[in-house]
Amino acid sequence: MSCETAFIQQLRERGFRLTPQREMILSVLHDMEGLVTVDEIYSRVQRLSSSVDISTVYRTLDLLQEFDLVFSVDPGDGQRRYEFLGLQDAHLHLVCQTCGQVTRVELEVAQAFAERLRASCGFQVALDRLSLAGLCPACAGSANN
Amino acid sequence: MSCETAFIQQLRERGFRLTPQREMILSVLHDMEGLVTVDEIYSRVQRLSSSVDISTVYRTLDLLQEFDLVFSVDPGDGQRRYEFLGLQDAHLHLVCQTCGQVTRVELEVAQAFAERLRASCGFQVALDRLSLAGLCPACAGSANN
DNA sequence: CTAAATGCAAATATTTTGCAGGTTA
DNA sequence: TAACCTGCAAAATATTTGCATTTAG
């Protein structure tokens, strides 16, 4: 099943409609890797159709988040970022505090950690929505004091 | 050394000045536990002196962040939260996605995980600024499907 | 005395909302 | 056709900035 099919199915089931705008936004998200800002999404959508309004982008992102096809974080710089989850495997994000580069990592590396947290205090970490701040190898190398 | 002393020292060293407003804001942060919003800080400061402006609160928070006495996150609800770090030990935050409750956990539980990440991909996680989303024991219990 | 900080108001930036008209099912 | 969706513009929020005045050192 493709992402589009999953989206359409969810729309139908809940009485929503499939519009060209929603298709375009989904397609743009699908083509973008990693965490992207609303502006990045918006300007890509505009290339497909310049009449699409940014409020429609916001509304569609809300919808996609409800459907769990997209999730969002604000790394703390006031620039909320969205990511398309689609049907692919979930993964962690490592966001470099210096250069902003985002690396994807398999959930598996965090499994033991999650287990430990659950054992010690009963908290179930949502690993599939996790972004970790820190230093990427390159920046860690040049920043060693 | 008290937090105030540390703050004053940093101010002096960098040519900044110690003002009553800055003292008040620091004192308010010091008395507040956990992650708080600008409005919460602002209204507490106003109780001490109603003439303090919110822009001064923002400016002071920026300063304190530069000094690493405060850090901020936006859990994704559009309400950025600040936390006073002071001279206490750093710790992780577990933020419940359902009830919003914040639990503090020793950094130590994540040490092995951080080590693993560094070994496998060279990324140095900033553990001391980490907030993890998930379900707290209570909400995990009532949500089990 | 002088550079730095404040309060105020206005400016920005970001996201949300009301509504009239267009569109999907 | 009827409810839903969109674009537009205006509103609501949150944060930042310019500037005259005040103040710490």
Side-chain angles (χ1 to χ4, degrees), chain A residues 6-71:
Chain A
F7 182 45
I8 294 169
Q9 209 167 60
Q10 287 243 47
L11 286 174
R12 293 256 162 78
E13 278 171 17
R14 301 173 62 165
F16 294 109
R17 288 176 185 174
L18 182 63
T19 63
Q21 290 89 338
R22 288 178 177 168
E23 284 188 286
M24 280 187 277
I25 293 167
L26 183 68
S27 132
V28 160
L29 280 168
H30 192 255
D31 291 345
M32 296 178 94
E33 275 287 303
L35 298 160
V36 292
T37 63
V38 170
D39 275 340
E40 288 164 344
I41 298 164
Y42 178 54
S43 54
R44 281 241 205 170
V45 170
Q46 288 247 309
R47 275 184 243 153
L48 298 178
S49 167
S50 61
S51 68
V52 177
D53 193 74
I54 195 161
S55 65
T56 301
V57 174
Y58 276 110
R59 286 188 276 227
T60 304
L61 286 170
D62 286 348
L63 203 60
L64 287 164
Q65 283 194 92
E66 264 187 54
F67 292 175
D68 281 320
L69 288 170
V70 154
F71 98 111

Side-chain angles (χ1 to χ4, degrees), chain A residues 61-131:
Chain A
L61 286 170
D62 286 348
L63 203 60
L64 287 164
Q65 283 194 92
E66 264 187 54
F67 292 175
D68 281 320
L69 288 170
V70 154
F71 98 111
S72 76
V73 276
D74 186 332
D77 59 352
Q79 288 272 289
R80 165 150 306 160
R81 282 152 206 284
Y82 292 82
E83 177 171 41
F84 184 60
L85 298 173
L87 304 167
Q88 62 194 294
D89 288 343
H91 45 255
L92 308 181
H93 293 116
L94 308 177
V95 186
C96 180
Q97 294 176 316
T98 303
C99 68
Q101 187 202 299
V102 179
T103 311
R104 292 162 166 226
V105 172
E106 295 301 311
L107 279 199
E108 190 256 344
V109 286
Q111 222 88 60
F113 172 50
E115 191 48 51
R116 182 165 180 183
L117 266 184
R118 196 162 59 149
S120 65
C121 56
F123 192 88
Q124 296 188 9
V125 182
L127 283 183
D128 55 328
R129 335 234 122 169
L130 194 54
S131 288

Side-chain angles (χ1 to χ4, degrees), chain B residues 14-115:
Chain B
R14 302 174 61 168
F16 295 109
R17 289 174 185 175
L18 182 63
T19 62
Q21 291 88 338
R22 287 177 177 169
E23 284 188 287
M24 281 188 276
I25 294 167
L26 182 68
S27 131
V28 159
L29 280 168
H30 192 256
D31 291 345
M32 296 178 94
E33 274 288 303
L35 298 160
V36 292
T37 63
V38 171
D39 276 340
E40 287 163 346
I41 298 163
Y42 178 55
S43 53
R44 281 240 204 171
V45 171
Q46 288 248 307
R47 274 183 244 156
L48 299 177
S49 166
S50 60
S51 68
V52 177
D53 194 73
I54 194 159
S55 66
T56 301
V57 175
Y58 276 109
R59 286 187 274 227
T60 303
L61 285 171
D62 286 348
L63 203 60
L64 287 164
Q65 284 193 90
E66 264 187 54
F67 292 175
D68 281 320
L69 288 170
V70 153
F71 97 111
S72 76
V73 276
D74 186 334
D77 59 353
Q79 288 273 287
R80 164 150 305 159
R81 280 153 206 285
Y82 293 83
E83 176 169 43
F84 183 62
L85 297 173
L87 303 167
Q88 62 193 293
D89 289 342
H91 46 255
L92 306 182
H93 293 116
L94 308 177
V95 186
C96 179
Q97 293 176 316
T98 303
C99 68
Q101 187 202 299
V102 179
T103 311
R104 291 160 167 227
V105 172
E106 297 301 311
L107 279 198
E108 190 256 344
V109 288
Q111 223 87 62
F113 172 50
E115 192 47 53

